[in-house]
């Protein structure tokens, strides 16, 4: 017994006592025998937690006859088999029992469902070459891919290894790693579906917070009798879920069963030297095909044309409806329709769209990301015309936020940047968005693509090639989006620039890099800026440098020097730094451990240092904490010594399973306003030009900043016209999540999975300034509607089943800061309000036949989520009471 028992890689390979087929490499058929099997395959579609009883789907069942055609005289494990799906028992039916009125298969014969031609081809015999337990190839006539794949699904059940071990196999699922576990007459095959390589390719959103995850499993149980298969039972499962909300998930279950019914006398073997000769002698019409699947063309039967679709939904994409869930829902369906359309069809819709709905249509066309849609939008837009500013900017923003951009999109922007662009704002946006596309292409492994290399060279050399301040800022913002390691030395140099705007862009760009890229050279520069070792810097530049130091694994001495500086800074900067340290400690940020260690030193941590007055602040909190995703916000506000806003920075982050997303950043900056209230400017800011503006970062993409006013004359001309009405920073429709894949099931059926998330967003900001009341007010208003759809369809041309899961919501978030600077310390009240919003979920299951018979089931739930005012620090609450008491 011991002599016959040997192992490799921990697996029992062969034991005579345990397994009777030692030395046999695969199942063997007996000559002159006809093996009659019953065969069934079914597919069930539902939400992830759904029961089999309520699933959509269908089942195909039939008889399958198998007999030996030829065996290699020199190798008993080299066989040619003939298989035939038998007609009388062939049946197509639903998987869920339903009343006849709801059962689309009731009263329909197989011929009526499949069609006479398909049924005949399915019943036509086919050949399988089985060598050493592996299906090398099969022979069949000229058949549609769907029929051929069903036959491949049957052939896949004949492929097995009789000994335990791990191998790589090719079957209808693709090329997959497989593990076999053998024990006597039972063999288990476990297929690692997540590692399969198939001819079908898809795409997905790169950021995992916005992405989709598919978990798959496949187990096949074989029972042998007299050297051949007695029964095979196989089940594979695919669960696809939204990372940010795992409840929004679909499940595909595919089952196969092949059971031996009886054996009877059958045809004798055919003589021949090799497989090819035998096949040719049997029937010249047979062609040899690989077991890997054929790529079936997917068609949208019954779908309206793009023009018809636009006529139906165009009115729902008007701008006044942008905060309603109907807008992103129709946006997602329009993107799908655009992906099926030709360039000419897309141009027809663009040319005949109303002016008010056109910006939303441009968002959709750009988000489709097909060659036809890109060609159409580039032909439609004319960058040499200044009047198309809004449409051009919407195209650029949609390109920067594209879910899976390709080199062609970047190449199109590169060509546009070298051509005539009438509006300077558009020229800047083109360059800034090219930086965002470089980053996305590099994340997908395309950093060495010719166009990417060319654009990297352009934006790296740009800042030193021009003397125009606006152009230097443009290139630095492009580098802030690109986040390429080659830019770090250049950004490090510009951090110490004499122009404050260069410094702040470069420092905030470095903050976006992974902390591993912030080396000692960069840290030394940041410390020089903060401590003003070489020259005086503006306050906002210094605090930005401190923020990067705190977030980049600071050393003991770096933290100690930062804390020791408190008390020797301008009043409001003192208060900001204290608030920042307390926020790091309260929110348990990575630097908190080092800060606590340094604060054990009483020279650093004492009442005199930690009791400074002021109104500047830094605060972080949670928007939501869940099992799937955690959302946080931060509000940092820095004032000048005279009480005028210097910098307001609002951020929203999302974290999911270790992935990180900078969802939103809105920064309002102001400078040089002290002369309006006869106040003294802080050190280093005496000669600053009057300026106020806003910049936004949306889903990790920096957008072009917006200017409220610049220069004293511009300021004075707008002083009395500054109504406080919000100025739009970004408005549009965003394809937030975009996932498409085709799963080739072992049965030969195909599951098409589409998950998409659409966001309608309107971000605006305003600034009011009253000399009479000695009060200023800044506001950031965020309005949005989100829809996420997940759809799985199994379409065989003659039968279709699917399930769709979705959720939608409409929300608003306002951030308002009121400052009364009639006395010092001045009063500051910050408010961050979330309005009550609706939340809806929907589950749809459907089945359909070409005859028009269909079944649809819909279930949903809705709830109203109460609004709230996000809690800030207690000091802010006390200030707000005083501000509102004084306003009555």
């Amino acid at each position: 017994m011991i002599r016959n028992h040997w192992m490799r890689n921990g697996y029992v390979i062969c034991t005579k006592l345990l397994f009777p087929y030692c030395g046999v490499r695969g199942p063997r058929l007996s000559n002159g025998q006809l093996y009659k099997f019953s065969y069934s395959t079914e597919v069930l579609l539902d939400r992830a937690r759904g029961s089999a009883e309520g699933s959509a789907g269908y089942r195909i069942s039939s008889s399958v006859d198998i007999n030996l055609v030829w065996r290699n005289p020199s190798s008993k494990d080299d066989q040619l088999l003939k298989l035939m799906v038998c007609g009388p028992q062939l049946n197509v039916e639903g998987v869920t029992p339903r009343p006849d009125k709801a059962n689309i298969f009731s009263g329909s014969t197989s011929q009526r469902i499949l069609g006479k031609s398909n049924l005949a081809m399915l019943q036509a015999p086919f050949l399988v070459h089985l060598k050493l337990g592996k299906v090398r190839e099969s022979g069949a006539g000229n058949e549609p891919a769907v029929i051929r794949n069903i036959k491949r699904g049957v052939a896949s059940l004949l492929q097995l290894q009789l000994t335990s071990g791990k191998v790589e196999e090719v079957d209808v699922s693709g090329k997959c790693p497989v593990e076999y576990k053998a024990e006597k007459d039972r063999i288990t095959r476990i297929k690692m579906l997540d590692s399969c390589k198939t001819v079908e390719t898809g795409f997905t959103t790169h950021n995992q917070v916005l992405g989709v995850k598919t978990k798959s499993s496949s187990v096949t149980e074989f029972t042998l009798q007299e050297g051949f298969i007695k029964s095979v039972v196989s089940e594979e499962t695919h669960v696809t879920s939204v990372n940010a909300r795992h409840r929004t998930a679909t499940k595909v279950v595919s089952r196969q069963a092949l059971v031996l019914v009886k054996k009877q006398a059958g045809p004798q073997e055919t003589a021949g030297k090799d497989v090819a000769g035998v096949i040719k002698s049997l029937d010249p019409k047979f062609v040899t095909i690989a077991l890997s699947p054929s790529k079936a063309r997917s068609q949208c039967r019954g779908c309206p044309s793009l023009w018809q679709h636009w006529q139906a939904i165009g009115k729902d994409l008007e701008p006044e409806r942008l905060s309603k869930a109907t807008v992103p829902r129709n946006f997602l369906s329009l993107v799908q329709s655009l992906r099926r359309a030709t360039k000419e069809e897309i141009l027809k819709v663009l040319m005949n769209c109303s002016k008010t709905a056109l910006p939303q249509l441009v968002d959709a066309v750009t988000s489709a990301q097909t060659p036809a849609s890109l060609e159409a939008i580039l032909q439609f837009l004319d960058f040499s015309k200044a009047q198309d500013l809004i449409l051009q900017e919407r195209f650029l923003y949609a390109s920067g936020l594209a879910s899976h951009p390709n080199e062609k999109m970047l190449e199109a922007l590169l060509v546009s940047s070298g051509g005539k662009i009438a509006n300077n704002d558009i020229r800047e946006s083109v360059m800034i968005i090219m930086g965002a596309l470089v980053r996305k292409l590099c994340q997908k492994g395309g950093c060495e693509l010719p166009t990417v290399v060319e654009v990297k060279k352009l934006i790296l050399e740009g800042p030193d090639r021009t003397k125009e301040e606006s152009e230097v800022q443009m290139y630095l913002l492009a580098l802030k989006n690109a986040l390429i390691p080659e830019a770090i030395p250049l950004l490090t140099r510009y951090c110490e620039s004499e122009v404050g705007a260069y410094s702040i862009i470069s420092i905030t760009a470095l903050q976006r890099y992974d902390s591993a890229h912030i080396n000692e050279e960069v840290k030394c520069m940041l410390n020089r800026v903060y401590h003003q070792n070489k020259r005086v810097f503006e306050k906002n530049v210094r605090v930005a440098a401190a923020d990067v130091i705190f977030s980049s694994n600071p050393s003991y001495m770096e933290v100690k020097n930062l804390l020791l500086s408190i008390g020797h800074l301008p009043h409001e900067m003192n208060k900001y730094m204290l608030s920042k340290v307390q926020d790091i400690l309260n929110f348990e940020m990575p630097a908190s451990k080092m800060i606590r260690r340094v604060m054990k030193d009483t020279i650093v941590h004492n009442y005199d240092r930690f009791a400074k007055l002021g109104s500047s602040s830094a605060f972080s909190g949670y928007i939501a904490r869940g099992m799937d995703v955690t959302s946080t916000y931060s509000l940092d506000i820095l004032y000048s010594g005279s009480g005028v806003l210097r910098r307001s920075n609002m951020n929203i982050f999302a974290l999911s399973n270790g992935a990180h997303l900078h969802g939103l950043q809105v920064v309002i900056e102001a400078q040089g306003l002290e002369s309006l209230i006869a106040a003294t400017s802080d050190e280093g800011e005496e000669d600053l030009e009057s300026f106020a503006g806003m910049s936004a970062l949306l889903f990790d993409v920096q957008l072009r900043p917006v200017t409220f006013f610049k220069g004293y004359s511009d300021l004075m001309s707008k002083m009395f016209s500054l109504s406080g009405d919000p100025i739009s920073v970004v408005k549009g429709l965003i394809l937030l999540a975009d996932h498409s894949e085709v799963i080739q099931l072992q049965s030969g059926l195909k599951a098409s999975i589409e998950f998409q998330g659409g966001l309608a967003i309107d971000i605006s900001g305003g600034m009011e300034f009253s000399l009479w009341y000695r009060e200023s007010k800044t506001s950031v208003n965020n309005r949005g509607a989100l829809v996420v759809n997940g759809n799985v369809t199994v379409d065989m041309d003659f039968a279709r089943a699917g399930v769709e899961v979705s959720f939608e919501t409409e929300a608003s978030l306002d951030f308002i800061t009121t400052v009364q600077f009639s006395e010092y310390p001045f009063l500051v009240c910050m408010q961050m309000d979330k309005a009550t919003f609706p939340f809806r979920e929907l589950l749809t299951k459907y089945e359909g036949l070409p005859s028009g018979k269909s079944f649809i089931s819909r279930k949903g739930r809705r709830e109203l989520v109460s609004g709230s005012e996000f809690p800030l620090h207690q000091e802010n609450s006390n200030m707000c009471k005083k501000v509102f008491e004084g306003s009555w």
Side-chain angles (χ1 to χ4, degrees), residues 696-717:
L697 184 147
L698 188 61
F699 300 112
D700 280 330
V701 177
Q702 173 69 55
L703 307 180
R704 180 183 60 81
V706 175
T707 299
F708 296 152
F709 57 79
K710 186 173 184 179
Y712 189 76
S713 59
D714 189 24
L715 165 62
M716 295 311 295
S717 69

Side-chain angles (χ1 to χ4, degrees), residues 385-402:
K385 294 181 180 179
Q387 62 265 32
D388 289 341
L389 170 65
I390 294 175
L391 299 180
Q392 293 164 11
E393 191 123 74
R394 292 285 279 265
F395 160 68
L396 292 170
Y397 287 172
S399 299
L401 294 164

Side-chain angles (χ1 to χ4, degrees), residues 593-832:
K593 291 182 180 179
M594 186 60 74
I595 290 175
R596 286 193 174 92
R597 182 182 163 197
V598 171
M599 286 174 62
K600 292 178 181 179
D601 186 342
T602 55
I603 296 175
V604 175
H605 186 205
N606 55 59
Y607 179 80
D608 179 62
R609 194 179 309 282
F610 276 71
K612 301 300 180 183
L613 296 176
S615 301
S616 299
S617 65
F619 185 80
S620 300
Y622 289 100
I623 295 176
R625 301 176 77 175
M627 295 291 291
D628 301 326
V629 67
T630 296
S631 301
T632 65
Y633 67 90
S634 67
L635 298 172
D636 294 357
I637 299 185
L638 176 67
Y639 293 97
S640 68
S642 57
V644 179
L645 175 71
R646 190 69 177 86
R647 193 169 196 260
S648 164
N649 185 0
M650 182 186 78
N651 294 277
I652 295 177
F653 301 94
L655 299 98
S656 176
N657 297 318
H660 175 273
L661 174 69
H662 197 165
L664 177 66
Q665 179 187 69
V666 180
V667 177
I668 296 178
E669 291 194 78
Q671 65 181 38
L673 304 183
E674 285 77 11
S675 59
L676 294 175
I677 55 174
T680 304
S681 301
D682 291 333
E683 181 189 18
E685 302 181 356
E686 298 86 354
D687 301 321
L688 293 179
E689 182 182 31
S690 298
F691 167 82
M694 175 186 286
S695 69
L697 184 147
L698 188 61
F699 300 112
D700 280 330
V701 177
Q702 173 69 55
L703 307 180
R704 180 183 60 81
V706 175
T707 299
F708 296 152
F709 57 79
K710 186 173 184 179
Y712 189 76
S713 59
D714 189 24
L715 165 62
M716 295 311 295
S717 69
K718 292 179 179 176
M719 272 301 300
F720 298 103
S721 63
L722 201 64
S723 64
D725 292 336
I727 297 175
S728 178
V729 179
V730 60
K731 178 187 288 187
L733 294 162
I734 302 169
L735 190 57
L736 201 60
D738 196 14
H739 178 89
S740 176
E741 67 175 312
V742 175
I743 294 178
Q744 179 65 62
L745 304 174
Q746 182 178 277
S747 62
L749 308 183
K750 290 189 179 186
S752 299
I753 300 177
E754 301 277 348
F755 271 72
Q756 289 185 312
L759 177 68
I761 193 167
D762 185 356
I763 301 175
S764 58
M767 186 173 183
E768 297 179 66
F769 196 90
S770 172
L771 290 175
W772 182 262
Y773 293 104
R774 298 181 73 81
E775 181 180 277
S776 70
K777 182 179 287 187
T778 58
S779 62
V780 177
N781 311 112
N782 305 281
R783 302 282 182 274
L786 172 68
V787 173
V788 175
N789 284 335
N791 185 53
V792 181
T793 305
V794 177
D795 191 344
M796 293 175 54
D797 293 343
F798 51 79
R800 184 170 182 262
V803 61
E804 182 177 288
V805 292
S806 67
F807 70 86
E808 59 185 45
T809 187
E810 302 158 7
S812 65
L813 183 67
D814 296 327
F815 172 48
I816 302 169
T817 305
T818 305
V819 183
Q820 294 180 353
F821 48 87
S822 55
E823 59 185 41
Y824 191 85
F826 37 85
L827 300 177
V828 179
C829 173
M830 295 182 293
Q831 297 167 276
M832 190 169 175

Side-chain angles (χ1 to χ4, degrees), residues 469-484:
E469 185 175 322
S470 62
E471 290 189 0
V472 175
Q473 291 185 48
M474 172 185 74
Y475 287 116
L476 291 176
L477 287 168
L479 290 170
K480 183 177 180 179
N481 267 336
L483 291 184
I484 49 178

Side-chain angles (χ1 to χ4, degrees), residues 40-112:
S40 68
T41 180
E42 63 184 22
V43 60
L44 301 93
L45 307 168
D46 207 339
R47 61 189 177 93
R49 298 181 181 179
S51 62
E53 290 75 18
S55 299
Y58 43 81
R59 179 185 300 112
I60 301 173
S61 55
S62 70
S63 294
V64 174
D65 290 352
I66 306 176
N67 66 276
L68 179 67
V69 174
W70 169 86
R71 192 193 308 274
N72 190 334
S74 60
S75 174
K76 292 183 178 181
D77 292 317
D78 187 2
Q79 307 161 93
L80 184 64
L81 316 181
K82 179 182 176 183
L83 283 75
M84 187 168 68
V85 177
C86 301
Q89 293 80 20
L90 198 148
N91 191 29
V92 182
E93 59 187 343
V95 293
T96 301
R98 296 194 188 102
D100 287 347
K101 288 184 178 180
N103 186 353
I104 65 171
F105 299 96
S106 178
S108 297
T109 63
S110 300
Q111 180 171 318
R112 190 173 178 183

Side-chain angles (χ1 to χ4, degrees), residues 302-555:
C303 293
S305 67
L306 176 61
W307 177 254
Q308 292 171 330
H309 193 178
W310 176 250
Q311 292 292 101
I313 69 166
K315 61 182 181 299
D316 292 327
L317 293 183
E318 295 294 337
E320 63 270 12
R321 299 177 62 88
L322 210 55
S323 59
K324 301 297 181 183
T326 51
V327 175
R329 192 186 311 125
N330 286 319
F331 165 69
L332 292 180
S333 66
L334 181 59
V335 168
Q336 293 285 14
S337 193
L338 284 161
R339 286 177 172 170
R340 296 189 295 267
T342 64
K343 172 186 169 182
E344 290 71 25
E345 291 173 324
I346 296 170
L347 280 170
K348 179 183 176 181
V349 175
L350 286 167
M351 299 294 289
N352 292 278
C353 178
S354 69
K355 288 186 178 180
T356 50
L358 192 53
Q360 289 71 252
L361 179 57
V362 169
D363 291 337
V365 173
T366 310
S367 298
Q369 299 169 78
T370 64
S373 66
L374 181 60
E375 288 177 21
I377 195 66
L378 290 172
Q379 183 173 324
F380 178 74
L381 295 176
D382 188 349
F383 287 100
S384 64
K385 294 181 180 179
Q387 62 265 32
D388 289 341
L389 170 65
I390 294 175
L391 299 180
Q392 293 164 11
E393 191 123 74
R394 292 285 279 265
F395 160 68
L396 292 170
Y397 287 172
S399 299
L401 294 164
S403 56
H404 55 281
N406 56 25
E407 188 182 11
K408 287 289 184 184
M409 183 176 282
L410 180 61
E411 185 180 354
L413 294 188
L414 180 60
V415 171
S416 298
S417 70
K420 182 182 178 183
I421 299 179
N423 190 288
N424 194 55
D425 288 347
I426 295 298
R427 193 172 75 86
E428 291 178 6
S429 288
V430 168
M431 194 64 62
I432 293 168
I433 296 304
M434 280 201 293
L437 293 181
V438 165
R439 183 187 183 200
K440 291 190 174 187
L441 289 170
C442 283
Q443 286 174 330
K444 295 195 301 181
C447 237
E448 300 306 317
L449 292 171
T451 309
V452 175
V453 172
E454 188 175 350
V455 173
K456 285 198 295 183
K457 184 174 184 291
L458 175 66
I459 59 179
L460 281 168
E461 295 177 354
D464 294 333
R465 281 206 317 259
T466 180
K467 299 298 181 182
E468 287 289 331
E469 185 175 322
S470 62
E471 290 189 0
V472 175
Q473 291 185 48
M474 172 185 74
Y475 287 116
L476 291 176
L477 287 168
L479 290 170
K480 183 177 180 179
N481 267 336
L483 291 184
I484 49 178
E486 305 96 298
I488 291 176
L490 184 143
L491 292 171
T492 301
R493 177 158 52 86
Y494 272 88
C495 286
E496 296 185 272
S497 170
E498 294 182 1
V499 180
Y502 299 172
S503 299
I504 198 72
I505 293 171
S506 301
I507 291 173
T508 54
L510 289 173
Q511 191 171 21
R512 298 189 65 205
Y513 281 89
D514 187 272
S515 60
H517 291 287
I518 309 302
N519 55 33
E520 287 305 313
E521 182 182 347
V522 177
K523 283 190 175 184
C524 287
M525 174 277 298
L526 293 169
N527 280 284
R528 285 197 303 270
V529 170
Y530 177 80
H531 296 290
Q532 304 187 118
N533 296 135
K534 289 188 173 181
R535 67 175 190 83
V536 175
F537 288 90
E538 300 167 32
K539 289 193 305 296
N540 59 332
V541 174
R542 295 179 69 189
V543 299
D547 288 345
V548 182
I549 295 170
F550 276 132
S551 62
S552 304
N553 301 318
S555 67

Side-chain angles (χ1 to χ4, degrees), residues 5-13 164-165 179:
H5 185 167
W6 57 288
M7 301 181 68
R8 181 182 299 161
N9 297 328
Y11 291 103
V12 176
I13 301 302
S164 298
E179 180 181 356

